[in-house]
Amino acid sequence: MSGLEKTPPTLNKPTHSRSSSTASSRHSRVSTICLFHQERDLTIPGICEGYLLKRRKWPLKGWHKRYFVLETGMLRYSKTQQDITRGKLHGSLDVGLAVMSINKKSNRIDLDAGDILYHMKLSSSHLNSSSHLGASVPSLQDYVTVVPDYVYSQLSPPTNASPEGKKIQQDICSVSQRGQSQNTRGLTHCVRSLLLMLNVNFFIFLSPSVHTSLKSVHDALAQERQRLQDTYHQSTTLAEVRVYAFMETGLVYNICVFICVRVPMGAFPHQLCLLGWLSHASATREYRASISKTPNSVVPKNTGRRTTLAAHCPDNAQVGLMQILYNNIGKDLSRVSMPAALNEPINLMQRLCEELEYSELLDTANHTQDPYQRMVYIGAFAISGYATAHYRNRYKPFNPLLGETYECLREDKGFRYISEQVSHHPPISACHADSDSFSFWQDQRWKNKFWGKSLEIMPTGMVNVTLPRFGDHYEWNKVVTCIHNVLSQQRYLEHYGEVIIRNLNSNACTCKITFVKSRYWGSDTNKNEVQGTVLDQTGSVIHRFGGLWHEGIFCDTLPTPQCIWKPNSQPKDYYLYYGFSSFTLELNELTPGLKSLLPPTDSRLRPDQRMLEDGRVDDCDKFKEEVEDMQRERRKQLAKKGQEHTPRFFKKAMDSSGRDVWLTNGTYWKVRENPGFANTNNLELW
Ligand SMILES: CC(C)CCC[C@@H](C)[C@H]1CC[C@H]2[C@@H]3CC=C4C[C@@H](O)CC[C@]4(C)[C@H]3CC[C@]12C
């Protein structure tokens, strides 16, 4: 069967009769996406079904063939048609709550329901087979040419009065008209009948099957848990037991159960190490229990620094974010100017500095003799940088201006940090920090993808840490950050993907950390899960650790199992101050005596950011525009002279893998000390 096909409606039964491939050939009009009965009453939507490729992020990342059924607005899928018949669902999504986008180049359809994001495409075999269907049959090619490059239709509920609603209506009309003119009526029906389906809420039909699925999942999990507990208790004499099982159901996204119990020789003679995965859910539950027993860090002593901001954060719930995002679909959002009320008084260079809040983990690593244990601390550090995101989904950081700089000297923590905006198109912030026990640097760029309800941020660029004591050079990637339900107040952040940490100066071990994508319909307890392993040269697991990125990380394979990191408690009234941590509150503080030492390009001196911090939102808006105009003017002037901006404190280089990277040129602190920035030529940014 090629693509999705459509069968007549079966509104009177909760289940439906599925057509086999022979059944499909009975229908005269087949499109790669849907098959239509053109003379049928279109107020009653039918069923579309067939095989498509679906993208999976974890585990077994890639495109997988899945059987989809679209019925009464619910899109459900399984591995095979038989699985659907047996009620073995992998997942389902209410298309009526989703935004659909179509990409004609890659033959892809993306559905974004806020919490769930499906990426689907036709396999090349589908495309080939569609060409056998004859000229009168609309092929995928036709389909995508009559649909605008993006069809970001806000399908639920289509409010005609709103500008968005009108735009969507226009889009749909133009799709229909173009469809008619190209004699692809079936296609027009496709769009229309899809729309109809979206407005029909037949969830009542689904409730019995949801209940059955839930019950079977619950039973399966209970059995599995019992079996794992039994195995664990009886396994002291087992040399190696491996159980590898996949359970995929509609309600539990994916559970990979992999137990490897073994008595290791040599290294830890007195311990029975339970290595590998003991079901994510149960391992995380145990980690969380242990973390919660670990006392919170004592509230830091009064450092003399500020503990609040001059003004509360503005209420931006009414700002028309939808308009902004829809008008800028496909654009790099860091280049879109947004109203100041959406900003937090911190910029991206300061946000990168936030990743050093738990720099003591690097100090510990630099004092840990054992390379595997050392890696555990580096892993915890890589996770700790994400913690702050938990409280920070209402505002976006300022985009630094080209040539803007930021320093952060933390004698109490023993490090000094500098950062510079080294490129504007694309925006790149480079940073470097050093202390007696580590060096840290990265240059980051982000690609944004707005799917209609969620915004994915894909960072490129590696994070680097060196430890002087052991000559280690660690390097790792960052994971994807997704802002779910970006347009609503139910907005929340999720990080997902894999981080691989390598030591470029030794191949003794590597570390793999998985930021687990939350399981749909799962309770909140499985949100923000992370699992890490330290592997030796042969790929054997030496340590494992895990927990939640906003709650803490526990390692049970260290000589003394312990909580290796727990975030600091949030300051009083943090919600009124943008959700900032104490460390973040201090980042933009202009402490006495500092002003005369800073270059005039330092973010602390940027007037619009300060205005926002002081609660002068309207002034900030005006000044922000001026500052951005001045930046454009400088750019024009340089272009006229045929010149390009040259960063002042960073230089471009190539890393060992041939990537372009920005490294410190080592001049900042020297110039600061002598002759001092007051005695040098500086850029005038504001
Ligand atoms: C438009 C507004 C109101 C919605 C809020 C957007 C916020 C949540 C977005 C905008 C820019 C985003 C940040 C951009 C870059 C990074 C670096 C990455 O390594 C971790 C995530 C992090 C730190 C993002 C976190 C989420 C973020 C702060």
Side-chain angles (χ1 to χ4, degrees):
M1 195 179 318
S2 120
L4 286 184
E5 92 167 17
K6 193 169 184 183
T7 56
T10 49
L11 289 182
N12 48 349
K13 339 181 221 160
T15 53
H16 59 82
S17 52
R18 261 162 304 279
S19 55
S20 63
S21 46
T22 27
S24 82
S25 56
R26 269 188 273 130
H27 304 300
S28 53
R29 285 184 164 269
V30 184
S31 92
T32 347
I33 303 281
C34 302
L35 183 118
F36 294 95
H37 295 259
Q38 300 223 345
E39 308 314 326
R40 205 167 49 72
D41 175 6
L42 282 168
T43 52
I44 306 167
I47 304 167
C48 285
E49 59 188 298
Y51 281 102
L52 289 174
L53 295 180
K54 179 178 177 297
R55 197 171 86 189
R56 187 149 86 180
K57 293 217 162 127
W58 179 90
L60 306 177
K61 191 172 160 185
W63 291 95
H64 298 261
K65 195 172 160 193
R66 293 291 177 263
Y67 195 80
F68 283 89
V69 177
L70 175 61
E71 184 188 11
T72 59
M74 290 303 288
L75 183 66
R76 292 173 294 137
Y77 79 97
S78 269
K79 216 166 193 162
T80 59
Q81 190 174 8
Q82 288 75 14
D83 282 357
I84 289 264
T85 324
R86 285 192 219 118
K88 234 174 116 193
L89 267 191
H90 278 208
S92 77
L93 172 150
D94 186 340
V95 188
L97 299 175
V99 174
M100 173 175 69
S101 53
I102 295 173
N103 185 313
K104 69 176 172 189
K105 269 195 219 129
S106 45
N107 300 317
R108 263 177 65 165
I109 297 183
D110 303 295
L111 280 172
D112 181 356
D115 290 338
I116 316 170
L117 197 50
Y118 280 2
H119 305 291
M120 295 161 294
K121 70 172 180 181
L122 294 177
S123 70
S124 41
S125 60
H126 286 146
L127 292 172
N128 295 339
S129 60
S130 75
S131 60
H132 300 304
L133 295 171
S136 63
V137 178
S139 68
L140 180 81
Q141 207 49 43
D142 298 325
Y143 179 65
V144 290
T145 50
V146 294
V147 178
D149 234 345
Y150 62 86
V151 181
Y152 283 105
S153 353
Q154 180 65 21
L155 295 169
S156 59
T159 45
N160 298 348
S162 70
E164 297 81 27
K166 284 201 184 115
K167 166 113 183 37
I168 290 154
Q169 289 264 311
Q170 280 165 9
D171 276 357
I172 292 164
C173 282
S174 78
V175 171
S176 306
Q177 282 158 10
R178 284 204 266 161
Q180 300 285 5
S181 67
Q182 294 186 18
N183 202 17
T184 49
R185 273 182 63 215
L187 217 40
T188 318
H189 286 254
C190 171
V191 176
R192 253 200 260 143
S193 74
L194 189 61
L195 282 168
L196 278 169
M197 281 182 223
L198 311 178
N199 289 326
V200 187
N201 202 345
F202 289 118
F203 65 88
I204 195 155
F205 290 134
L206 273 149
S207 52
S209 62
V210 166
H211 177 260
T212 318
S213 309
L214 259 176
K215 197 165 172 327
S216 68
V217 170
H218 176 266
D219 293 349
L221 278 175
Q223 270 177 24
E224 194 61 23
R225 184 165 182 238
Q226 194 52 51
R227 214 168 50 78
L228 286 171
Q229 274 170 355
D230 294 349
T231 316
Y232 180 67
H233 292 306
Q234 294 161 11
S235 62
T236 36
T237 52
L238 280 179
E240 191 157 87
V241 180
R242 278 164 192 255
V243 182
Y244 196 64
F246 282 101
M247 286 169 56
E248 287 188 277
T249 73
L251 295 157
V252 177
Y253 170 55
N254 268 312
I255 299 182
C256 164
V257 186
F258 172 24
I259 326 168
C260 163
V261 183
R262 66 175 182 183
V263 186
M265 308 306 224
F268 308 103
H270 309 299
Q271 272 180 300
L272 168 78
C273 285
L274 179 68
L275 302 172
W277 301 113
L278 180 80
S279 124
H280 280 175
S282 70
T284 303
R285 211 179 310 123
E286 277 163 35
Y287 287 144
R288 290 189 74 194
S290 312
I291 292 163
S292 68
K293 282 185 215 128
T294 312
N296 282 344
S297 60
V298 260
V299 184
K301 276 193 275 112
N302 186 354
T303 52
R305 289 169 189 264
R306 67 183 181 185
T307 53
T308 59
L309 301 177
H312 291 169
C313 48
D315 174 8
N316 65 9
Q318 303 312 320
V319 178
L321 189 57
M322 173 129 142
Q323 189 75 43
I324 300 172
L325 291 180
Y326 275 75
N327 286 343
N328 292 288
I329 283 169
K331 274 200 205 148
D332 178 353
L333 277 191
S334 60
R335 287 166 67 169
V336 176
S337 183
M338 297 209 189
L342 289 178
N343 276 115
E344 54 183 10
I346 282 289
N347 69 18
L348 273 167
M349 298 189 294
Q350 292 166 315
R351 194 98 204 218
L352 290 181
C353 185
E354 285 185 60
E355 293 179 18
L356 287 173
E357 178 162 355
Y358 302 97
S359 62
E360 60 273 12
L361 287 165
L362 298 182
D363 300 333
T364 310
N366 192 46
H367 292 103
T368 303
Q369 203 66 42
D370 179 88
Y372 306 113
Q373 288 180 28
R374 209 148 66 224
M375 191 58 116
V376 172
Y377 290 105
I378 299 289
F381 174 77
I383 297 167
S384 73
Y386 287 102
T388 181
H390 189 58
Y391 304 97
R392 307 272 292 282
N393 60 33
R394 293 174 295 152
Y395 303 91
K396 67 174 279 288
F398 273 76
N399 299 322
L401 300 163
L402 184 61
E404 192 173 330
T405 58
Y406 174 72
E407 69 159 59
C408 183
L409 178 59
R410 292 294 301 232
E411 270 147 8
D412 55 334
K413 287 181 170 278
F415 72 75
R416 54 185 198 181
Y417 168 95
I418 57 155
S419 180
E420 180 177 1
Q421 189 70 5
V422 292
S423 160
H424 188 55
H425 290 329
I428 305 177
S429 314
C431 71
H432 182 97
D434 42 46
S435 87
D436 289 344
S437 48
F438 67 85
S439 286
F440 162 95
W441 70 95
Q442 59 175 322
D443 55 273
Q444 288 296 332
R445 280 191 218 182
W446 298 279
K447 273 199 241 153
N448 301 309
K449 276 201 182 158
F450 176 50
W451 297 106
K453 285 201 168 186
S454 335
L455 184 72
E456 280 189 318
I457 296 167
M458 282 98 162
T460 56
M462 305 296 265
V463 185
N464 293 266
V465 162
T466 53
L467 301 180
R469 183 133 170 230
F470 303 101
D472 294 344
H473 178 172
Y474 300 96
E475 186 193 71
W476 66 90
N477 61 296
K478 286 186 157 177
V479 290
V480 173
T481 297
C482 183
I483 308 154
H484 290 281
N485 302 312
V486 64
L487 297 172
S488 82
Q489 294 303 303
Q490 275 82 53
R491 194 185 291 149
Y492 67 95
L493 287 189
E494 191 185 9
H495 308 294
Y496 43 71
E498 239 166 43
V499 171
I500 307 285
I501 311 180
R502 274 181 248 279
N503 182 353
L504 304 184
N505 292 341
S506 151
N507 50 10
C509 60
T510 52
C511 176
K512 193 175 110 177
I513 303 170
T514 307
F515 284 72
V516 185
K517 209 166 188 321
S518 75
R519 276 164 237 130
Y520 316 130
W521 295 285
S523 67
D524 277 355
T525 50
N526 69 34
K527 281 208 175 118
N528 304 346
E529 208 175 311
V530 262
Q531 294 284 346
T533 44
V534 174
L535 308 162
D536 69 8
Q537 264 166 312
T538 66
S540 301
V541 179
I542 306 298
H543 285 295
R544 66 166 213 168
F545 54 90
L548 306 187
W549 53 256
H550 72 296
E551 254 183 34
I553 298 296
F554 195 86
C555 179
D556 52 3
T557 49
L558 288 173
T560 350
Q562 57 187 283
C563 172
I564 38 175
W565 164 75
K566 199 170 179 173
N568 297 324
S569 38
Q570 283 289 91
K572 194 168 159 276
D573 293 334
Y574 65 90
Y575 196 78
L576 299 174
Y577 300 110
Y578 303 89
F580 286 176
S581 68
S582 300
F583 182 73
T584 310
L585 276 171
E586 297 166 0
L587 289 177
N588 203 41
E589 184 180 14
L590 206 43
T591 45
L594 186 62
K595 194 171 174 185
S596 57
L597 299 172
L598 294 175
T601 47
D602 193 279
S603 308
R604 286 184 191 77
L605 305 173
R606 183 170 165 173
D608 47 349
Q609 195 171 314
R610 184 68 63 195
M611 285 167 187
L612 179 65
E613 197 188 282
D614 292 343
R616 295 161 56 199
V617 183
D618 293 343
D619 291 343
C620 172
D621 255 324
K622 273 186 223 126
F623 208 92
K624 193 158 153 280
E625 222 179 287
E626 269 176 46
V627 170
E628 280 163 4
D629 283 347
M630 279 158 69
Q631 164 157 269
R632 270 186 284 276
E633 192 49 39
R634 276 196 303 279
R635 209 181 149 77
K636 254 196 230 157
Q637 294 305 327
L638 270 184
K640 247 192 212 164
K641 289 188 247 164
Q643 290 173 355
E644 257 191 34
H645 170 86
T646 333
R648 190 171 174 195
F649 305 110
F650 286 84
K651 55 175 197 272
K652 208 177 190 172
M654 203 173 264
D655 74 3
S656 52
S657 333
R659 271 183 296 252
D660 274 347
V661 287
W662 288 91
L663 303 176
T664 173
N665 63 15
T667 58
Y668 186 91
W669 298 104
K670 285 185 192 143
V671 177
R672 188 185 193 264
E673 201 178 312
N674 187 18
F677 290 114
N679 304 313
T680 60
N681 278 336
N682 305 302
L683 269 182
E684 208 180 299
L685 299 179
W686 39 74

